[in-house]
Every structure is written in structure tokens, then in C-alpha cells.
Amino acid sequence: NSMSKASWISVVGSLNVDLTFRVPSFPAPGETLVSAEVVTSFGGKGGNQAVAAKRAGAEVRMIGCLGDDEQAGQYRERLGEEGIDCSGVMRTEGRTGVASIALNDEGENTIIVHPGANLQLTPAKVEELENLFKGSAVTLLQLECPVESVVKAAHLARNAGSLVVLNPSPWNPKVFESDIPCDILILNEGEAEAMSSGGLAHFLQRGDRTGIVTRGALPTWVFTGGKMQEIAPPEISPVDTVGAGDTFAGVFAASLAEGREVLDSVRMANSAAALATLQQGAQEAIPHRDAIAEMVMQHDAPS
């Protein structure tokens, strides 16, 4: 219904079940560490970004693959509870993607991912869902599913008149080779470093793209129209940085879909990502619209 106020976003990407182990330090080769607790939660960059966009006020369609195990049903239910449209979430054979996360006392993490069903998100399957891109103001992509499928989704989204936001995470050098059509690139420092060696400036110039580099507590860099601007995030003491990048991407896309400019959308996303680091877990820690707005106001108020 094009009359509805909320803008639609399509998120194409991964759906994983996360197992998070809290550890005093990371295990060295041959070392066995006992974890004080293990928490099972729903994650994957695609799922996290979809939840972040939804909580920030967008209407969200998720496109991805779950397995045929018990966890697939639980995840689908979880997305439904958030109010996310799951008509593009396909059931495939095998197990749902899983991530094993070790989280230390400093809030740093190491992650091992078994993609499982996420690898079944083929270009052909994405093509079958072409109609889901229609009417989406923004399409949000990451790289936790096959790169060819991300390329396919980007082309379909473009054809449907959607803005394409790419978060090339986890980093894959195929981004350059595939030349994924996108309008806005969201990178963290590590990804920006990997890209600069391959010609980030050239990539941004082609097709007049905007580049956004998140830098933790340091100001976010925004490269647009050959200029660089800095936008400082709120100052906070992070408890757990898991999911902060996904929160940033999802909230940024939601803000763009509402018609805000890039810089204002970065301010929203900075505030949301800061809030997400104040709680443990990925999706559990993603803030809702009111909290984000409040944080933006506090941060913008003259001190």
C-alpha cells in the first residue's frame, strides 16, 4: 500500500543462531578455557540489521534462508514477533547458520561462523523474489551470504528504483571484482583499510557513491561528492560491542528510507550504535526508535 506512511526496506542477508561464550581471555592453541556462561540468541548480520531497521521505525522485509531444523522455526517466529515481513525467508535443507562467539571481559570478541543454510541463498532464489524489492525505498546488503547473490539483489533493487546500501562485511575482495552496484557503502575501519588498498576512492567515484566509515568511539567519516566530513558519536562506556555495526547499518537505512539526508542518518545511526553497546548481545541490545531519538537530542544539545 503506497499510501502507508512508513517506508519499506528490503534486507537481504544472513540469519544465524549465535552461541556466545563469556571468557576471561581468548583461548591459545591447545588451551581449554571454561566459560562462566553460554547464551543462545538470534543473530547473523542480515537478521540483526533487519531488527535494527524495524525498531527504528521502518517496515522491513527479510530475504534469506533458514534450515529445516528446530532453530529455523524459532528464528522465523522471532522475526514475526518483531513485525518483520518473512515472505522472503526461505526454508532449505540442512541446518540453520550458526556462530560461535567468544566474548572477553573487555567486550572484545572472536567469532567462528558456519554459514549452513545461508549458502543456499543462490542468485536464482533471489531472482524468484524479485517482486519483494518493488516499493522498497532502501535495500540493505552485507556479505554473509554468497557474493553472486548480493550482486543479483543489488541489480534487482536498482531496477525496482530502490537505493542500495552495502555493508561489505565480513570483508571479501570480490566486492571490487563484482563491482556491486550500490549508492552507499558502510565500512568499519578494518574494511576501509582493506578497501583502500584496492582503491576505495576509485570505487566511490564510480557511480558517485557515498562512503561511510565507522570508527568506534572516534568520529564517523562520511565521504560524499569528493568531500570528507566527520560526525562524532555520543561518548559512552561500551559493555559489549557485538552487533553495534549491524545496528548502525539498519538504523542508517531506516533513517534514509524516511527521507532524511545522509549526515542526519549517520547521526541517528551513531546514537543507535552507541546505545547498542550498553547491553550484552546483538539483537537484545538493539535500541528502539524513542531511545534513539532521545540519545540524538542529548548528543546534539549544547553542553
Side-chain angles (χ1 to χ4, degrees):
N1 172 8
S2 59
M3 298 304 292
S4 71
K5 223 176 98 61
S7 302
W8 280 91
I9 289 181
S10 295
V11 180
V12 182
S14 53
L15 297 158
N16 291 331
V17 175
D18 292 346
L19 295 172
T20 303
F21 298 87
R22 298 197 70 85
V23 289
S25 58
F26 299 126
E31 180 186 6
T32 299
L33 272 180
V34 175
S35 165
E37 61 167 334
V38 60
V39 180
T40 304
S41 53
F42 298 106
K45 289 184 179 300
N48 292 349
Q49 293 182 12
V51 169
K54 184 74 181 84
R55 290 187 185 172
E59 290 296 340
V60 180
R61 287 189 187 90
M62 182 71 213
I63 296 170
C65 288
L66 291 167
D68 56 9
D69 46 10
E70 194 185 342
Q71 287 164 323
Q74 292 166 349
Y75 206 147
R76 189 178 291 271
E77 209 169 285
R78 176 84 266 284
L79 292 169
E81 283 164 10
E82 286 286 337
I84 291 168
D85 179 323
C86 291
S87 50
V89 178
M90 295 164 282
R91 183 193 173 111
T92 60
E93 280 179 18
R95 69 172 301 163
T96 297
V98 64
S100 169
I101 303 168
L103 182 66
N104 74 6
D105 293 338
E106 275 71 63
E108 299 167 320
N109 59 61
T110 61
I111 306 176
I112 300 170
V113 177
H114 174 68
N118 292 306
L119 294 180
Q120 304 297 318
L121 184 66
T122 58
K125 282 210 177 83
V126 174
E127 183 113 52
E128 281 169 27
L129 301 174
E130 186 174 1
N131 64 324
L132 293 184
F133 293 96
K134 294 196 172 75
S136 285
V138 177
T139 297
L140 182 55
L141 309 165
Q142 333 75 31
L143 301 179
E144 258 181 355
C145 45
V147 173
E148 310 75 51
S149 306
V150 176
V151 174
K152 171 61 75 182
H155 282 290
L156 292 174
R158 265 278 163 85
N159 295 344
S162 174
L163 268 178
V164 179
V165 178
L166 172 65
N167 172 218
S169 183
W171 172 248
N172 186 329
K174 283 190 188 162
V175 169
F176 287 123
E177 298 153 40
S178 321
D179 197 34
I180 303 167
C182 68
D183 300 291
I184 298 171
L185 206 58
I186 297 177
L187 310 158
N188 63 23
E189 286 179 284
E191 290 145 11
E193 216 163 284
M195 277 202 87
S196 60
S197 59
L200 174 59
H202 176 68
F203 188 81
L204 292 176
Q205 277 156 6
R206 285 183 61 184
D208 191 27
R209 301 178 171 117
T210 294
I212 297 169
V213 182
T214 59
R215 300 161 64 235
L218 296 170
T220 303
W221 288 336
V222 182
F223 297 90
T224 182
K227 295 199 305 284
M228 196 267 274
Q229 282 163 286
E230 294 197 336
I231 297 183
E235 285 179 34
I236 41 110
S237 304
V239 174
D240 172 5
T241 58
V242 173
D246 292 333
T247 299
F248 183 97
V251 173
F252 174 81
S255 178
L256 265 192
E258 279 193 0
R260 283 194 198 87
E261 297 295 327
V262 169
L263 295 178
D264 280 337
S265 297
V266 168
R267 285 185 188 97
M268 296 279 294
N270 271 348
S271 287
L275 285 167
T277 66
L278 298 178
Q279 279 185 54
Q280 282 161 13
Q283 289 180 15
E284 304 77 6
I286 295 170
H288 288 78
R289 191 184 177 96
D290 298 348
I292 300 168
E294 197 174 316
M295 181 64 127
V296 171
M297 273 168 45
Q298 279 175 10
H299 183 48
D300 286 347
S303 47

Short mmCIF file of all heavy atoms in Angstrom, two decimals, residues 140-199:
data_model
loop_
_atom_site.label_atom_id
_atom_site.label_comp_id
_atom_site.label_asym_id
_atom_site.label_seq_id
_atom_site.Cartn_x
_atom_site.Cartn_y
_atom_site.Cartn_z
N LEU A 140 19.17 -3.15 1.79
CA LEU A 140 20.38 -3.23 2.61
C LEU A 140 21.02 -4.60 2.43
O LEU A 140 20.36 -5.63 2.57
CB LEU A 140 19.99 -2.99 4.08
CG LEU A 140 21.07 -2.98 5.14
CD1 LEU A 140 22.17 -1.98 4.83
CD2 LEU A 140 20.44 -2.65 6.50
N LEU A 141 22.33 -4.60 2.11
CA LEU A 141 23.05 -5.84 1.80
C LEU A 141 24.33 -5.96 2.62
O LEU A 141 24.98 -4.96 2.91
CB LEU A 141 23.45 -5.84 0.31
CG LEU A 141 22.35 -5.55 -0.71
CD1 LEU A 141 22.95 -5.23 -2.07
CD2 LEU A 141 21.42 -6.75 -0.83
N GLN A 142 24.70 -7.20 2.97
CA GLN A 142 26.00 -7.47 3.60
C GLN A 142 26.60 -8.70 2.88
O GLN A 142 26.05 -9.13 1.88
CB GLN A 142 25.90 -7.79 5.09
CG GLN A 142 24.72 -7.19 5.83
CD GLN A 142 23.45 -7.92 5.52
OE1 GLN A 142 23.47 -9.12 5.25
NE2 GLN A 142 22.34 -7.21 5.50
N LEU A 143 27.70 -9.24 3.40
CA LEU A 143 28.39 -10.32 2.68
C LEU A 143 28.47 -11.64 3.43
O LEU A 143 29.41 -12.39 3.25
CB LEU A 143 29.81 -9.86 2.31
CG LEU A 143 29.90 -8.62 1.42
CD1 LEU A 143 31.36 -8.28 1.15
CD2 LEU A 143 29.16 -8.81 0.11
N GLU A 144 27.46 -11.93 4.26
CA GLU A 144 27.46 -13.23 4.95
C GLU A 144 26.70 -14.29 4.15
O GLU A 144 26.39 -15.34 4.68
CB GLU A 144 26.88 -13.11 6.37
CG GLU A 144 27.96 -13.09 7.43
CD GLU A 144 27.42 -13.00 8.85
OE1 GLU A 144 26.20 -12.87 9.06
OE2 GLU A 144 28.24 -13.06 9.77
N CYS A 145 26.35 -13.96 2.90
CA CYS A 145 25.78 -14.99 2.01
C CYS A 145 26.53 -14.86 0.68
O CYS A 145 27.35 -13.96 0.54
CB CYS A 145 24.27 -14.82 1.89
SG CYS A 145 23.74 -13.15 1.65
N PRO A 146 26.31 -15.74 -0.29
CA PRO A 146 27.15 -15.74 -1.50
C PRO A 146 27.18 -14.37 -2.21
O PRO A 146 26.16 -13.74 -2.41
CB PRO A 146 26.49 -16.80 -2.39
CG PRO A 146 25.80 -17.71 -1.42
CD PRO A 146 25.33 -16.84 -0.30
N VAL A 147 28.40 -13.95 -2.59
CA VAL A 147 28.59 -12.65 -3.22
C VAL A 147 27.75 -12.51 -4.50
O VAL A 147 27.17 -11.46 -4.77
CB VAL A 147 30.09 -12.39 -3.55
CG1 VAL A 147 30.27 -11.13 -4.36
CG2 VAL A 147 30.90 -12.30 -2.26
N GLU A 148 27.65 -13.60 -5.27
CA GLU A 148 26.87 -13.56 -6.52
C GLU A 148 25.41 -13.19 -6.23
O GLU A 148 24.77 -12.51 -7.03
CB GLU A 148 26.89 -14.91 -7.25
CG GLU A 148 28.25 -15.55 -7.44
CD GLU A 148 28.81 -16.15 -6.14
OE1 GLU A 148 28.10 -16.92 -5.48
OE2 GLU A 148 29.95 -15.80 -5.79
N SER A 149 24.92 -13.64 -5.09
CA SER A 149 23.53 -13.37 -4.72
C SER A 149 23.37 -11.91 -4.29
O SER A 149 22.33 -11.30 -4.53
CB SER A 149 23.10 -14.29 -3.59
OG SER A 149 23.34 -15.63 -3.97
N VAL A 150 24.41 -11.36 -3.67
CA VAL A 150 24.39 -9.96 -3.27
C VAL A 150 24.37 -9.08 -4.53
O VAL A 150 23.63 -8.10 -4.62
CB VAL A 150 25.62 -9.62 -2.38
CG1 VAL A 150 25.66 -8.14 -2.04
CG2 VAL A 150 25.58 -10.46 -1.10
N VAL A 151 25.19 -9.47 -5.53
CA VAL A 151 25.23 -8.75 -6.80
C VAL A 151 23.85 -8.78 -7.46
O VAL A 151 23.32 -7.76 -7.90
CB VAL A 151 26.29 -9.36 -7.76
CG1 VAL A 151 26.23 -8.69 -9.13
CG2 VAL A 151 27.68 -9.23 -7.16
N LYS A 152 23.25 -9.98 -7.48
CA LYS A 152 21.92 -10.15 -8.09
C LYS A 152 20.89 -9.27 -7.38
O LYS A 152 20.11 -8.56 -8.01
CB LYS A 152 21.51 -11.64 -8.02
CG LYS A 152 20.09 -11.95 -8.41
CD LYS A 152 19.75 -11.56 -9.83
CE LYS A 152 20.35 -12.53 -10.84
NZ LYS A 152 20.03 -12.08 -12.23
N ALA A 153 20.91 -9.29 -6.04
CA ALA A 153 19.96 -8.49 -5.25
C ALA A 153 20.15 -7.00 -5.53
O ALA A 153 19.18 -6.25 -5.65
CB ALA A 153 20.14 -8.78 -3.76
N ALA A 154 21.41 -6.57 -5.63
CA ALA A 154 21.70 -5.16 -5.88
C ALA A 154 21.12 -4.72 -7.23
O ALA A 154 20.52 -3.65 -7.34
CB ALA A 154 23.21 -4.91 -5.84
N HIS A 155 21.28 -5.57 -8.25
CA HIS A 155 20.72 -5.24 -9.58
C HIS A 155 19.20 -5.20 -9.55
O HIS A 155 18.58 -4.28 -10.11
CB HIS A 155 21.21 -6.25 -10.62
CG HIS A 155 22.61 -6.01 -11.08
ND1 HIS A 155 22.97 -4.93 -11.87
CD2 HIS A 155 23.77 -6.68 -10.84
CE1 HIS A 155 24.28 -4.96 -12.10
NE2 HIS A 155 24.78 -6.01 -11.48
N LEU A 156 18.58 -6.18 -8.90
CA LEU A 156 17.11 -6.22 -8.82
C LEU A 156 16.59 -4.99 -8.08
O LEU A 156 15.59 -4.39 -8.47
CB LEU A 156 16.65 -7.49 -8.11
CG LEU A 156 16.89 -8.82 -8.84
CD1 LEU A 156 16.52 -9.99 -7.93
CD2 LEU A 156 16.11 -8.88 -10.14
N ALA A 157 17.29 -4.63 -7.00
CA ALA A 157 16.86 -3.47 -6.19
C ALA A 157 16.96 -2.19 -7.02
O ALA A 157 16.05 -1.37 -7.03
CB ALA A 157 17.73 -3.37 -4.94
N ARG A 158 18.09 -2.06 -7.72
CA ARG A 158 18.29 -0.90 -8.60
C ARG A 158 17.14 -0.79 -9.62
O ARG A 158 16.57 0.27 -9.82
CB ARG A 158 19.60 -1.09 -9.39
CG ARG A 158 20.80 -0.43 -8.76
CD ARG A 158 20.81 1.04 -9.12
NE ARG A 158 21.69 1.78 -8.24
CZ ARG A 158 23.00 1.91 -8.43
NH1 ARG A 158 23.59 1.31 -9.44
NH2 ARG A 158 23.71 2.62 -7.59
N ASN A 159 16.83 -1.93 -10.27
CA ASN A 159 15.77 -1.95 -11.28
C ASN A 159 14.43 -1.56 -10.69
O ASN A 159 13.56 -1.02 -11.37
CB ASN A 159 15.66 -3.33 -11.94
CG ASN A 159 16.91 -3.68 -12.73
OD1 ASN A 159 17.72 -2.80 -13.02
ND2 ASN A 159 17.09 -4.94 -13.04
N ALA A 160 14.26 -1.87 -9.39
CA ALA A 160 12.98 -1.56 -8.72
C ALA A 160 12.96 -0.12 -8.20
O ALA A 160 12.01 0.30 -7.56
CB ALA A 160 12.77 -2.55 -7.58
N GLY A 161 14.05 0.62 -8.44
CA GLY A 161 14.08 2.02 -8.01
C GLY A 161 14.46 2.22 -6.56
O GLY A 161 14.19 3.27 -5.98
N SER A 162 15.08 1.20 -5.98
CA SER A 162 15.47 1.28 -4.57
C SER A 162 16.90 1.81 -4.43
O SER A 162 17.75 1.54 -5.28
CB SER A 162 15.39 -0.14 -3.97
OG SER A 162 15.87 -0.18 -2.66
N LEU A 163 17.17 2.56 -3.36
CA LEU A 163 18.55 2.93 -3.03
C LEU A 163 19.23 1.67 -2.52
O LEU A 163 18.62 0.90 -1.77
CB LEU A 163 18.56 3.96 -1.89
CG LEU A 163 18.58 5.44 -2.20
CD1 LEU A 163 18.54 6.20 -0.87
CD2 LEU A 163 19.82 5.84 -2.98
N VAL A 164 20.48 1.46 -2.88
CA VAL A 164 21.20 0.27 -2.43
C VAL A 164 22.29 0.65 -1.44
O VAL A 164 23.18 1.45 -1.75
CB VAL A 164 21.80 -0.51 -3.62
CG1 VAL A 164 22.57 -1.74 -3.12
CG2 VAL A 164 20.71 -0.93 -4.60
N VAL A 165 22.20 0.12 -0.22
CA VAL A 165 23.20 0.35 0.82
C VAL A 165 23.94 -0.97 1.04
O VAL A 165 23.33 -1.99 1.34
CB VAL A 165 22.55 0.81 2.14
CG1 VAL A 165 23.61 1.00 3.22
CG2 VAL A 165 21.77 2.11 1.93
N LEU A 166 25.26 -0.93 0.85
CA LEU A 166 26.08 -2.14 1.01
C LEU A 166 27.00 -2.01 2.20
O LEU A 166 27.73 -1.04 2.35
CB LEU A 166 26.92 -2.37 -0.26
CG LEU A 166 27.97 -3.48 -0.19
CD1 LEU A 166 27.32 -4.86 -0.01
CD2 LEU A 166 28.86 -3.48 -1.44
N ASN A 167 26.96 -3.02 3.07
CA ASN A 167 27.87 -3.13 4.22
C ASN A 167 28.74 -4.35 3.92
O ASN A 167 28.35 -5.47 4.23
CB ASN A 167 27.03 -3.30 5.50
CG ASN A 167 27.85 -3.61 6.72
OD1 ASN A 167 27.45 -4.40 7.57
ND2 ASN A 167 29.02 -3.01 6.85
N PRO A 168 29.92 -4.15 3.27
CA PRO A 168 30.71 -5.30 2.81
C PRO A 168 31.43 -6.00 3.96
O PRO A 168 32.63 -5.93 4.11
CB PRO A 168 31.70 -4.69 1.82
CG PRO A 168 31.85 -3.28 2.25
CD PRO A 168 30.58 -2.88 2.94
N SER A 169 30.62 -6.67 4.77
CA SER A 169 31.10 -7.31 5.99
C SER A 169 30.50 -8.70 6.11
O SER A 169 29.32 -8.86 5.81
CB SER A 169 30.65 -6.43 7.17
OG SER A 169 31.13 -6.94 8.37
N PRO A 170 31.28 -9.74 6.45
CA PRO A 170 32.74 -9.73 6.60
C PRO A 170 33.42 -9.44 5.26
O PRO A 170 32.89 -9.80 4.21
CB PRO A 170 33.04 -11.15 7.08
CG PRO A 170 31.86 -11.97 6.70
CD PRO A 170 30.69 -11.05 6.62
N TRP A 171 34.56 -8.75 5.31
CA TRP A 171 35.21 -8.27 4.10
C TRP A 171 35.49 -9.40 3.10
O TRP A 171 35.93 -10.47 3.47
CB TRP A 171 36.52 -7.55 4.43
CG TRP A 171 37.29 -7.23 3.20
CD1 TRP A 171 38.47 -7.76 2.79
CD2 TRP A 171 36.88 -6.32 2.16
NE1 TRP A 171 38.82 -7.23 1.57
CE2 TRP A 171 37.86 -6.35 1.16
CE3 TRP A 171 35.76 -5.48 1.99
CZ2 TRP A 171 37.79 -5.57 0.00
CZ3 TRP A 171 35.67 -4.72 0.83
CH2 TRP A 171 36.68 -4.78 -0.15
N ASN A 172 35.24 -9.11 1.83
CA ASN A 172 35.52 -10.06 0.75
C ASN A 172 36.04 -9.26 -0.45
O ASN A 172 35.34 -8.38 -0.95
CB ASN A 172 34.23 -10.80 0.38
CG ASN A 172 34.45 -11.91 -0.62
OD1 ASN A 172 35.33 -11.81 -1.47
ND2 ASN A 172 33.65 -12.94 -0.54
N PRO A 173 37.26 -9.56 -0.92
CA PRO A 173 37.85 -8.79 -2.02
C PRO A 173 37.04 -8.85 -3.31
O PRO A 173 37.22 -8.04 -4.21
CB PRO A 173 39.23 -9.43 -2.23
CG PRO A 173 39.22 -10.70 -1.47
CD PRO A 173 38.18 -10.58 -0.40
N LYS A 174 36.10 -9.80 -3.38
CA LYS A 174 35.26 -9.90 -4.58
C LYS A 174 34.39 -8.66 -4.78
O LYS A 174 33.80 -8.50 -5.84
CB LYS A 174 34.35 -11.14 -4.50
CG LYS A 174 35.05 -12.45 -4.79
CD LYS A 174 34.02 -13.56 -4.91
CE LYS A 174 34.66 -14.93 -5.01
NZ LYS A 174 33.68 -15.99 -4.72
N VAL A 175 34.30 -7.83 -3.75
CA VAL A 175 33.50 -6.60 -3.87
C VAL A 175 33.99 -5.78 -5.06
O VAL A 175 33.21 -5.23 -5.82
CB VAL A 175 33.59 -5.75 -2.58
CG1 VAL A 175 32.98 -4.37 -2.80
CG2 VAL A 175 32.86 -6.45 -1.45
N PHE A 176 35.32 -5.72 -5.23
CA PHE A 176 35.88 -4.95 -6.34
C PHE A 176 35.63 -5.65 -7.67
O PHE A 176 35.24 -5.04 -8.65
CB PHE A 176 37.39 -4.75 -6.15
CG PHE A 176 37.71 -3.77 -5.07
CD1 PHE A 176 38.50 -4.12 -4.00
CD2 PHE A 176 37.21 -2.48 -5.12
CE1 PHE A 176 38.81 -3.22 -3.00
CE2 PHE A 176 37.50 -1.55 -4.13
CZ PHE A 176 38.30 -1.92 -3.07
N GLU A 177 35.91 -6.97 -7.70
CA GLU A 177 35.76 -7.72 -8.94
C GLU A 177 34.31 -7.72 -9.41
O GLU A 177 34.03 -7.57 -10.60
CB GLU A 177 36.22 -9.17 -8.73
CG GLU A 177 37.69 -9.30 -8.36
CD GLU A 177 37.96 -10.56 -7.54
OE1 GLU A 177 37.38 -11.61 -7.86
OE2 GLU A 177 38.74 -10.49 -6.57
N SER A 178 33.39 -7.88 -8.47
CA SER A 178 31.98 -7.98 -8.84
C SER A 178 31.38 -6.63 -9.16
O SER A 178 30.38 -6.53 -9.83
CB SER A 178 31.17 -8.59 -7.68
OG SER A 178 31.90 -9.62 -7.07
N ASP A 179 32.03 -5.57 -8.66
CA ASP A 179 31.51 -4.21 -8.79
C ASP A 179 30.01 -4.17 -8.51
O ASP A 179 29.19 -3.91 -9.39
CB ASP A 179 31.81 -3.63 -10.17
CG ASP A 179 31.65 -2.11 -10.16
OD1 ASP A 179 31.95 -1.51 -9.11
OD2 ASP A 179 31.20 -1.53 -11.16
N ILE A 180 29.66 -4.48 -7.28
CA ILE A 180 28.26 -4.49 -6.84
C ILE A 180 27.68 -3.09 -6.98
O ILE A 180 28.23 -2.14 -6.43
CB ILE A 180 28.18 -4.96 -5.37
CG1 ILE A 180 28.81 -6.35 -5.22
CG2 ILE A 180 26.73 -4.97 -4.88
CD1 ILE A 180 29.07 -6.77 -3.80
N PRO A 181 26.59 -2.95 -7.73
CA PRO A 181 26.02 -1.60 -7.86
C PRO A 181 25.45 -1.16 -6.51
O PRO A 181 24.61 -1.85 -5.93
CB PRO A 181 24.90 -1.77 -8.89
CG PRO A 181 24.60 -3.22 -8.93
CD PRO A 181 25.83 -3.95 -8.47
N CYS A 182 25.96 -0.05 -5.98
CA CYS A 182 25.41 0.43 -4.71
C CYS A 182 25.52 1.94 -4.67
O CYS A 182 26.32 2.54 -5.38
CB CYS A 182 26.13 -0.20 -3.52
SG CYS A 182 27.84 0.32 -3.34
N ASP A 183 24.69 2.57 -3.85
CA ASP A 183 24.69 4.02 -3.70
C ASP A 183 25.52 4.45 -2.50
O ASP A 183 26.18 5.46 -2.52
CB ASP A 183 23.25 4.52 -3.53
CG ASP A 183 22.40 4.15 -4.74
OD1 ASP A 183 22.65 4.73 -5.80
OD2 ASP A 183 21.53 3.27 -4.62
N ILE A 184 25.43 3.63 -1.44
CA ILE A 184 26.11 3.98 -0.20
C ILE A 184 26.83 2.76 0.36
O ILE A 184 26.27 1.66 0.39
CB ILE A 184 25.10 4.53 0.84
CG1 ILE A 184 24.46 5.81 0.29
CG2 ILE A 184 25.79 4.81 2.18
CD1 ILE A 184 23.31 6.33 1.09
N LEU A 185 28.05 2.98 0.79
CA LEU A 185 28.89 1.92 1.34
C LEU A 185 29.10 2.21 2.82
O LEU A 185 29.50 3.33 3.17
CB LEU A 185 30.22 2.01 0.60
CG LEU A 185 31.12 0.81 0.43
CD1 LEU A 185 30.39 -0.30 -0.28
CD2 LEU A 185 32.34 1.23 -0.39
N ILE A 186 28.85 1.23 3.69
CA ILE A 186 29.11 1.40 5.12
C ILE A 186 30.23 0.45 5.51
O ILE A 186 30.11 -0.76 5.36
CB ILE A 186 27.86 1.08 5.96
CG1 ILE A 186 26.72 2.05 5.62
CG2 ILE A 186 28.19 1.16 7.45
CD1 ILE A 186 25.43 1.76 6.36
N LEU A 187 31.34 1.01 6.01
CA LEU A 187 32.52 0.21 6.35
C LEU A 187 32.94 0.48 7.78
O LEU A 187 32.73 1.58 8.29
CB LEU A 187 33.71 0.63 5.46
CG LEU A 187 33.49 0.70 3.96
CD1 LEU A 187 34.53 1.60 3.31
CD2 LEU A 187 33.58 -0.68 3.36
N ASN A 188 33.59 -0.51 8.41
CA ASN A 188 34.27 -0.21 9.66
C ASN A 188 35.75 0.02 9.31
O ASN A 188 36.12 -0.07 8.14
CB ASN A 188 34.08 -1.31 10.72
CG ASN A 188 34.66 -2.65 10.28
OD1 ASN A 188 35.56 -2.71 9.43
ND2 ASN A 188 34.16 -3.73 10.85
N GLU A 189 36.57 0.32 10.30
CA GLU A 189 37.96 0.68 9.99
C GLU A 189 38.72 -0.42 9.27
O GLU A 189 39.46 -0.16 8.32
CB GLU A 189 38.70 1.07 11.27
CG GLU A 189 38.28 2.43 11.79
CD GLU A 189 38.99 2.80 13.08
OE1 GLU A 189 38.62 2.26 14.14
OE2 GLU A 189 39.93 3.62 13.01
N GLY A 190 38.51 -1.66 9.70
CA GLY A 190 39.20 -2.79 9.08
C GLY A 190 38.81 -2.95 7.62
O GLY A 190 39.65 -3.15 6.74
N GLU A 191 37.51 -2.82 7.34
CA GLU A 191 37.01 -2.96 5.96
C GLU A 191 37.50 -1.80 5.10
O GLU A 191 37.86 -1.97 3.94
CB GLU A 191 35.48 -3.02 5.97
CG GLU A 191 34.95 -4.32 6.56
CD GLU A 191 33.65 -4.16 7.34
OE1 GLU A 191 33.01 -3.09 7.27
OE2 GLU A 191 33.29 -5.12 8.06
N ALA A 192 37.54 -0.59 5.70
CA ALA A 192 38.00 0.59 4.96
C ALA A 192 39.47 0.44 4.59
O ALA A 192 39.90 0.79 3.49
CB ALA A 192 37.80 1.84 5.80
N GLU A 193 40.24 -0.16 5.51
CA GLU A 193 41.66 -0.40 5.26
C GLU A 193 41.82 -1.40 4.12
O GLU A 193 42.61 -1.19 3.19
CB GLU A 193 42.31 -0.96 6.53
CG GLU A 193 43.71 -0.49 6.76
CD GLU A 193 44.12 -0.75 8.21
OE1 GLU A 193 43.69 0.00 9.09
OE2 GLU A 193 44.85 -1.73 8.43
N ALA A 194 41.03 -2.47 4.18
CA ALA A 194 41.09 -3.49 3.12
C ALA A 194 40.70 -2.88 1.78
O ALA A 194 41.28 -3.20 0.74
CB ALA A 194 40.15 -4.64 3.46
N MET A 195 39.74 -1.97 1.80
CA MET A 195 39.29 -1.37 0.55
C MET A 195 40.25 -0.33 0.02
O MET A 195 40.39 -0.18 -1.19
CB MET A 195 37.92 -0.72 0.73
CG MET A 195 36.80 -1.72 0.61
SD MET A 195 35.22 -0.96 0.18
CE MET A 195 35.27 -0.91 -1.60
N SER A 196 40.91 0.41 0.93
CA SER A 196 41.78 1.49 0.45
C SER A 196 42.94 0.92 -0.36
O SER A 196 43.39 1.53 -1.32
CB SER A 196 42.28 2.34 1.61
OG SER A 196 43.02 1.55 2.50
N SER A 197 43.38 -0.30 0.01
CA SER A 197 44.46 -0.92 -0.77
C SER A 197 43.97 -1.31 -2.17
O SER A 197 44.74 -1.39 -3.10
CB SER A 197 44.99 -2.16 -0.04
OG SER A 197 43.93 -3.09 0.15
N GLY A 198 42.66 -1.54 -2.29
CA GLY A 198 42.13 -1.93 -3.59
C GLY A 198 41.52 -0.76 -4.35
O GLY A 198 40.97 -0.94 -5.43
N GLY A 199 41.59 0.43 -3.78
CA GLY A 199 41.09 1.61 -4.48
C GLY A 199 39.72 2.06 -4.04
O GLY A 199 38.79 2.15 -4.83
#
